[in-house]
Amino acid sequence: MENNKPTVMVDIAIFTVFEDKLKILLIKRGSEPFKDSWALPGGSLNTVTDDSLEAAAMRELVEETGVENQYLEQLCTYGGPDRDPRDWTLSITYFALVAADEVTLRAGTDTTEAKWHTLTQDKVEVSLAFDHERIVCEAISRLRAKLDYTDIAVHLLAKEFTLSELQRVYEIIMQENLNKSSFRMRVARADIVAPINGKMRTGSNRPAQLYQFVKNEGDRMFFPRSIAWAQERKK
């Protein structure tokens, strides 16, 4: 009897910020289809070992890249007969955020390389397998939207950071310069960061106070009004 059930996949768009750029993690496929092409980390759902879709996403992430995820959110579900030449596939996609200094990449058993790729105008410089270019674009849109009103930037920074570094993360992802005084005023009102007593960042410029995020359970609103709204009011 013919099996008409689709193959269920999980795919993950994982982002970080370093070298003053937004980066996405891609793997080079070690087998067909699309052998030697770049793609998002992911794989088939294992109905024996995976007790949830999120568990499957976490497993694939670790197996193929060595990344221990800090933030994982379901993005969207894609399906159709033309996504994969092997079968009718259903893909539950996630986007994830990590701090670059906490990541050690490694290629998984069915990949030959795992590498950060710079995003320029919401695209990478290489062609992507399957329909992963579409997934990347939608993941960036979700990240940008969430960043505008939540505090998920914590997952893109080291545990200790300056307010200038925090602002720069927002500017890189939102692709616009933010007013310094307005940004800091809204951070202070949101009460999401706290200075670390006695710790400063020293360098070529004058020492800067180091901060850490104030931990909070759940998905908390970042600003009473969005950063984008504040920027429009400043113009």
Side-chain angles (χ1 to χ4, degrees):
M1 184 177 178
E2 185 179 356
N3 181 12
N4 294 321
K5 294 181 179 179
T7 300
V8 180
M9 314 286 290
V10 289
D11 294 302
I12 310 104
I14 179 167
F15 298 100
T16 196
V17 171
F18 70 94
E19 297 175 341
D20 215 36
K21 303 286 185 181
L22 178 63
K23 309 270 186 174
I24 190 167
L25 189 59
L26 300 176
I27 54 94
K28 183 174 283 190
R29 291 181 55 79
S31 59
E32 296 293 351
F34 300 106
K35 184 179 180 181
D36 296 327
S37 294
W38 292 97
L40 295 172
S44 300
L45 177 70
N46 188 320
T47 57
V48 176
T49 60
D50 297 329
D51 58 9
S52 68
L53 292 171
E54 185 171 302
M58 292 292 289
R59 172 181 57 77
E60 286 292 341
L61 196 61
V62 173
E63 285 180 359
E64 295 195 2
T65 67
V67 171
E68 294 289 346
N69 173 249
Q70 296 177 334
Y71 180 89
L72 187 71
E73 177 181 318
Q74 192 171 127
L75 174 66
C76 192
T77 299
Y78 302 85
D82 302 322
R83 298 185 67 250
D84 189 321
R86 295 167 295 185
D87 200 359
W88 204 110
T89 61
L90 182 71
S91 176
I92 296 90
T93 61
Y94 290 81
F95 84 90
L97 306 177
V98 296
D101 64 341
E102 297 183 3
V103 173
T104 302
L105 299 182
R106 68 166 183 261
T109 56
D110 56 352
T111 65
T112 59
E113 188 178 356
K115 181 181 177 182
W116 292 112
H117 288 250
T118 298
L119 285 153
T120 304
Q121 296 182 340
D122 297 351
K123 293 185 178 181
V124 291
E125 74 281 6
V126 295
S127 297
L128 300 182
F130 308 106
D131 56 354
H132 289 185
E133 182 175 340
R134 174 189 175 188
I135 296 173
V136 168
C137 288
E138 294 191 15
I140 294 171
S141 294
R142 172 73 65 83
L143 169 60
R144 194 167 287 137
K146 294 279 288 191
L147 202 72
D148 193 32
Y149 65 89
T150 73
D151 59 5
I152 62 173
V154 59
H155 304 288
L156 294 167
L157 287 160
K159 289 183 173 61
E160 300 177 356
F161 53 89
T162 66
L163 292 181
S164 293
E165 290 166 348
L166 174 62
Q167 180 173 333
R168 187 58 188 147
V169 165
Y170 279 86
E171 290 177 334
I172 289 169
I173 297 172
M174 297 176 70
Q175 298 183 337
E176 63 177 302
N177 293 325
L178 301 175
N179 178 273
K180 180 178 178 180
S181 60
S182 177
F183 181 85
R184 294 193 176 194
M185 178 181 67
R186 292 180 180 278
V187 168
R189 286 180 177 175
D191 195 27
I192 60 170
V193 302
I196 304 173
N197 292 335
K199 300 202 75 171
M200 307 288 287
R201 174 72 48 79
T202 58
S204 56
N205 298 320
R206 66 179 185 179
Q209 175 67 53
L210 284 171
Y211 289 78
Q212 61 187 358
F213 272 84
V214 178
K215 293 186 180 296
N216 185 76
E217 296 299 326
D219 188 21
R220 178 181 49 199
M221 295 294 290
F222 190 169
F223 293 120
R225 297 186 178 92
S226 74
I227 299 175
W229 184 92
Q231 285 297 106
E232 288 300 316
R233 293 285 291 179
K234 276 285 182 180
K235 293 177 182 179

